[in-house]
Amino acid sequence: MAEIFGAKIKKYQEDIIRDIGTLVAIPSVCGPAAPGMPYGEPSYRALECILGMARGMGFETKNVDGYAGHAEYGTGPEYAAVLSHVDVVPAGSGWDTDPFTRYRTVGIRSGTDPFTPVRRGGLIYGRGTADDKGAAVVTLYCLKVLKDEGITGKRRLRAIFGAGEEIGMDDMPQYFSKEPLPEMAFTPDSEYGICNREKGILRFSVGSRKNDSGVVRKFRAGSVVNAVPDRAEAQIVCSVAEYENLKKTADGQEGTFQVERTPYGAYVTSLGKAAHAMQPQAGFNAAAHLVRLLARSFGAEALGGFLSFLDGGIGTETDGASMGVKQSDAQSGALTLNLGILNIQPDSQRAEIDIRYPVTSDGEAIVRTLKERVEKAGFTIGVSENTPPLYLPESSPLISLLSRSYQAVTGRPAELYSTGGGTYARTVKGRGVAFGPFFQDEPDRRVHNSNENIEVERFMQHAQICLEAMYRLMTE
């Protein structure tokens, strides 16, 4: 049996692993903008790093105003594209100290340094290995194989790298405001088989300019709205008797709490489990459970209207039922809701919430319901994002091409599925889908969580599928 084209990438394995390590070592969490660097210096540095790798391979590259860039190979009036990103979510806590005790960090987080890639037991650990720097490097090497093999075809092929995917994906609209849309595209930022349905993404904030709680002086949880917060902390003003009741209530409530006595009352820490906002039920929301603890301990009047509204309107739910937006469809499943960030200071209170809604739902109708609930309670609401769903029919030529590529490597057809995740596929306006890099039978790679990793053997199988698909995008 003749070797498939995708298998040609296997000889580049060690080079791929080396360059993934180089890219992971850049802590490319998006931050404050700087001149020419819309997502901050670390994100820009990661973008330039991978473009520099591409130039070293002999490709033409372009950096589009620091938002995104590309490496291109081939000729023809049209082009196909593979879209990945080089920014990452914050490192978070909980990275293991064993067996990596020599990689210790300084400060509030201890354990493995998330930006020091570690290879052990067939796995590579580090923030960005799975989401999405590993896939970005593989895409670049697929382009290199095509060039090394002298492949020419009916269209050009671009590897496009974004620098701001994790904070709303504004990078791709900015890129495509300067560059034409591809004829066909896929993004290796999900799972196999083929994701032809992506839920709508709705993000909004609730708050006011005044802290209306009689007991909560400060509350802090979460750093990004698209992840379940695994830690929440609150400064509480209370009497000795109220402190004792708080401790007793914490002992009897679901969750992990530490209640410490302070001169003004108490300091409470809640520990949970992080997860991606597309599947909040897979995590344990430290913020929501701390709000619930405080509500049970002090009651609505002392707790104040804002936290009482969050406890009654969201609570520990992940389906939006108490906000009046619970819904589902056969194509993509149920709406999910995640309380991602909660910040209370003496002069302000603000919650940021992430909703993923079904592909047949009306996002504007959901917004109207939310506004009615929030404003009736006396608080302000701000909608920061309402991205419509993606739905590409099974009959699409792109889906056929990708399915054949997957089957050529694995020996079985690619199944179609839906996701609550938001990928770059929606930015190419019906011309792309999510495809890989992980397999549904793989263990949790802890994307957006501690100990993020890839398994080298399975990831190189993805590399073969990716190359096979890019070869076909270029030639068919």
Side-chain angles (χ1 to χ4, degrees):
M1 180 177 175
E3 182 182 65
I4 61 168
F5 189 86
K8 295 181 183 296
I9 200 167
K10 291 189 289 186
K11 65 183 179 181
Y12 295 84
Q13 176 175 307
E14 293 307 311
D15 293 331
I16 289 170
I17 292 171
R18 179 200 64 220
D19 285 350
I20 289 174
T22 299
L23 199 56
V24 167
I26 301 172
S28 51
V29 178
C30 294
M37 305 176 186
Y39 305 115
E41 188 272 339
S43 177
Y44 183 86
R45 186 151 49 96
L47 178 60
E48 272 299 301
C49 176
I50 200 162
L51 292 179
M53 292 176 184
R55 287 190 290 270
M57 296 175 182
F59 294 115
E60 293 184 5
T61 67
K62 185 175 182 179
N63 184 329
V64 180
D65 302 329
Y67 289 99
H70 69 251
E72 184 174 275
Y73 172 67
T75 59
E78 300 174 340
Y79 80 95
V82 182
L83 289 72
S84 56
H85 64 91
V86 295
D87 63 307
V88 296
V89 297
S93 58
W95 292 74
D96 287 347
T97 59
D98 182 25
F100 314 116
T101 52
R102 70 191 182 94
Y103 299 102
R104 298 191 65 85
T105 58
V106 178
I108 61 170
R109 187 181 70 249
S110 64
T112 307
D113 179 358
F115 300 107
T116 299
V118 176
R119 185 178 182 181
R120 186 180 180 93
L123 304 178
I124 303 174
Y125 292 84
R127 176 59 85 221
T129 51
D131 184 23
D132 191 36
K133 291 180 175 179
V137 171
V138 163
T139 300
L140 181 58
Y141 271 87
C142 290
L143 210 63
K144 176 176 171 57
V145 174
L146 291 164
K147 178 175 176 289
D148 290 351
E149 296 291 326
I151 302 300
T152 57
K154 61 191 296 184
R155 60 180 65 92
R156 293 169 288 139
L157 194 59
R158 277 187 189 179
I160 302 176
F161 309 106
E165 193 269 354
E166 297 290 3
I167 58 168
M169 296 193 293
D170 182 56
D171 49 353
M172 282 301 129
Q174 293 288 342
Y175 174 85
F176 288 122
S177 72
K178 301 288 182 67
E179 295 291 319
L181 286 168
E183 181 184 6
M184 294 186 288
F186 71 89
T187 177
D189 195 16
S190 189
E191 292 182 343
Y192 289 114
I194 303 168
C195 180
N196 68 326
R197 290 155 283 163
E198 293 187 9
K199 290 180 178 178
I201 300 178
L202 171 61
R203 290 171 178 162
F204 66 101
S205 62
V206 179
S208 68
R209 294 183 178 180
K210 181 182 179 181
N211 180 344
D212 64 3
S213 177
V215 295
V216 178
R217 179 179 294 176
K218 293 183 178 180
F219 193 118
R220 180 179 62 184
S223 56
V224 290
V225 71
N226 63 338
V228 176
D230 63 358
R231 185 182 182 92
E233 303 168 74
Q235 293 182 9
I236 307 299
V237 178
C238 64
S239 67
V240 174
E242 289 171 328
Y243 166 77
E244 294 298 335
N245 180 60
L246 177 61
K247 285 197 68 175
K248 182 179 179 181
T249 305
D251 289 340
Q253 180 175 310
E254 182 184 18
T256 302
F257 304 99
Q258 181 178 4
V259 183
E260 304 172 78
R261 184 74 175 133
T262 66
Y264 51 79
Y267 194 91
V268 188
T269 302
S270 169
L271 299 180
K273 178 185 175 183
H276 197 291
M278 71 177 178
Q279 48 184 7
Q281 68 277 7
F284 189 90
N285 196 308
H289 283 83
L290 180 51
V291 173
R292 175 59 52 85
L293 170 63
L294 298 178
R296 289 178 173 175
S297 299
F298 296 102
E301 184 175 352
L303 187 62
F306 180 66
L307 287 172
S308 295
F309 172 74
L310 293 181
D311 185 55
I314 298 177
T316 58
E317 298 173 351
T318 59
D319 61 2
S322 294
M323 289 293 282
V325 295
K326 181 178 180 179
Q327 54 199 271
S328 182
D329 68 15
Q331 291 86 348
S332 58
L335 176 147
T336 61
L337 181 149
N338 176 60
L339 172 62
I341 298 175
L342 180 53
N343 195 318
I344 297 176
Q345 300 296 325
D347 58 352
S348 65
Q349 45 195 5
R350 177 183 174 91
E352 296 185 37
I353 298 157
D354 181 298
I355 284 177
R356 311 294 169 108
Y357 59 88
V359 297
T360 60
S361 294
D362 182 350
E364 292 302 323
I366 295 172
V367 170
R368 288 193 295 270
T369 299
L370 294 171
K371 283 187 174 180
E372 181 180 352
R373 296 289 179 106
V374 172
E375 291 173 355
K376 184 177 179 180
F379 303 106
T380 59
I381 180 171
V383 177
S384 59
E385 179 179 351
N386 186 8
T387 303
L390 165 72
Y391 187 18
L392 200 65
E394 185 175 357
S395 59
S396 163
L398 173 62
I399 290 179
S400 173
L401 183 151
L402 296 179
S403 184
R404 286 183 281 110
S405 301
Y406 181 84
Q407 187 161 11
V409 176
T410 67
R412 56 187 183 275
E415 297 181 359
L416 303 183
Y417 73 96
S418 66
T419 183
T423 74
Y424 281 151
R426 32 176 112 229
T427 68
V428 295
K429 300 183 179 180
R431 304 181 185 201
V433 294
F435 184 59
F438 299 107
F439 302 88
Q440 293 186 11
D441 64 342
E442 285 191 270
D444 177 19
R445 293 292 165 215
R446 304 184 71 79
V447 172
H448 287 202
N449 202 345
S450 56
N451 301 328
E452 181 180 346
N453 66 83
I454 56 174
E455 181 184 353
V456 173
E457 183 177 352
R458 298 304 299 275
F459 208 67
M460 288 307 297
Q461 187 178 19
H462 153 68
Q464 293 181 65
I465 298 169
C466 187
L467 175 56
E468 186 69 24
M470 290 174 68
Y471 171 73
R472 294 170 185 251
L473 280 175
M474 191 174 188
T475 59
E476 292 187 4

